[in-house]
Amino acid sequence: MSGTQFDSPYHAPVLVVDVLAALQGARTVLDGTLGGGGHALALLDAGATVTAIDRDPDAIVTARERLDAFETAKKFRAIHGNFADVPQIAELHRVEWDGILLDLGVSSHQFDDESRGFTFREGAQLDMRMEDGGSTMTAAELLNTADEPLLKTIFKVFGDEPKGGRLAREVIRRRGNRPFVTSDDYVGAIRAVLGPRSGPGDFARLFQALRIAVNGELESLSTALPMLRDRLTPGGVIAVIAYHSGEDRIVKHAFREWSLSCICPPKQIMCSCRGHALGTLITRKAVTASPGEIARNPRARSAHLRAWRKASTGSPASSNK
């Protein structure tokens, strides 16, 4: 598989050819992160019936309007919700799919809408909630109320920032004088700690870390993966595109564990676990975007695609411990 860009009438999805290759033959697909609808359209064009969900009601409305222009839209339905809450969505009770796709992170529509607060453009409000007006606190509220250990975790673990402790202390110092309100306030704190040479790459990484914390994205992913695995039909495939090292690590570890025939501790003499693999890896290593796609779509630079196939009925997958 190789990263390729999809030629759609709106924002092209990442690694769409690789996604279609992984989900080849899937008659029914759950698109757990609808976003702009690019992947959903590609899956519909490939002959699948697509059920899509998204936390952002604006994304649902926009994607429906766009997809209604295509003949394949009759095989598409969109539902407002979080992919981690599939068991609680009445329309999806006990539904199974041949393929499941998660394209994690923020959509281009959300990123480009400054009122949503995902961007570090000057003057943008620090919101970052996936569900516009949702019940979670905004990014500004998190920066203004979180204690030092939590802020340090956000910056150091979610943002891969070695100076996360210093940045946490700087945020607390600054909010004592004036609360954080806009992107400029957060950028100012970052520059104060990382120095004047800090730039867009640092801002993007640390804004992403804050967004992940606001929306509980890593927790949602950890909860969702085994549940979604169990919603696959025998031989079904789950494909995940991650843009953050923490997300990709969760997916990699889950897929590898599911592919092992034994998950007992290494020194345990007798196997007492399930005794067989739940499925097999389709991607031994993460698939990344090609240089050509990155040139056309710079946001694809950090995309990592992994895919896993569930074992067929009556034929447990085999793998080494």
Side-chain angles (χ1 to χ4, degrees), residues 215-265:
N215 296 286
E217 295 174 40
L218 298 185
E219 295 89 345
S220 291
L221 181 61
S222 295
T223 299
L225 285 176
M227 175 272 298
L228 293 174
R229 176 200 66 203
D230 293 343
R231 290 298 191 98
L232 285 171
T233 58
V237 170
I238 180 169
V240 183
I241 302 173
Y243 300 82
H244 179 267
S245 60
E247 292 173 335
D248 185 54
R249 189 159 46 246
I250 290 170
V251 176
K252 177 177 69 175
H253 290 170
F255 286 4
R256 285 183 177 177
E257 180 182 307
W258 301 348
S259 303
L260 294 173
S261 58
C262 177
I263 56 173
C264 293

Side-chain angles (χ1 to χ4, degrees), residues 3-20 31 33-43 45 66 70 101 103-104 106-109 112 241 243 289-290 292-301 303:
T4 308
Q5 187 144 354
F6 179 65
D7 186 15
S8 76
Y10 42 96
H11 178 65
V14 174
L15 301 168
V16 70
V17 170
D18 304 294
V19 168
L20 294 178
D31 182 350
T33 45
L34 175 59
H39 279 124
L41 177 59
L43 292 164
D45 286 346
R66 288 168 169 172
F70 297 88
L101 170 65
D103 185 5
L104 305 173
V106 63
S107 71
S108 292
H109 171 74
D112 293 334
I241 302 173
Y243 300 82
S290 67
E293 179 172 3
I294 293 172
R296 294 186 298 267
N297 178 14
R299 293 178 188 172
R301 183 179 295 105

Side-chain angles (χ1 to χ4, degrees), residues 53-69:
I53 58 177
D54 202 285
R55 298 175 66 172
D56 185 353
D58 290 344
I60 298 290
V61 173
T62 302
R64 278 176 177 160
E65 291 175 349
R66 288 168 169 172
L67 291 174
D68 278 347

Side-chain angles (χ1 to χ4, degrees), residues 121-143:
R121 296 189 187 98
E122 291 185 11
Q125 296 294 308
L126 284 170
D127 192 322
M128 299 194 185
R129 292 171 295 177
M130 289 289 191
E131 296 171 283
D132 192 12
S135 59
T136 58
M137 66 172 60
T138 66
E141 290 169 338
L142 182 59
L143 288 172

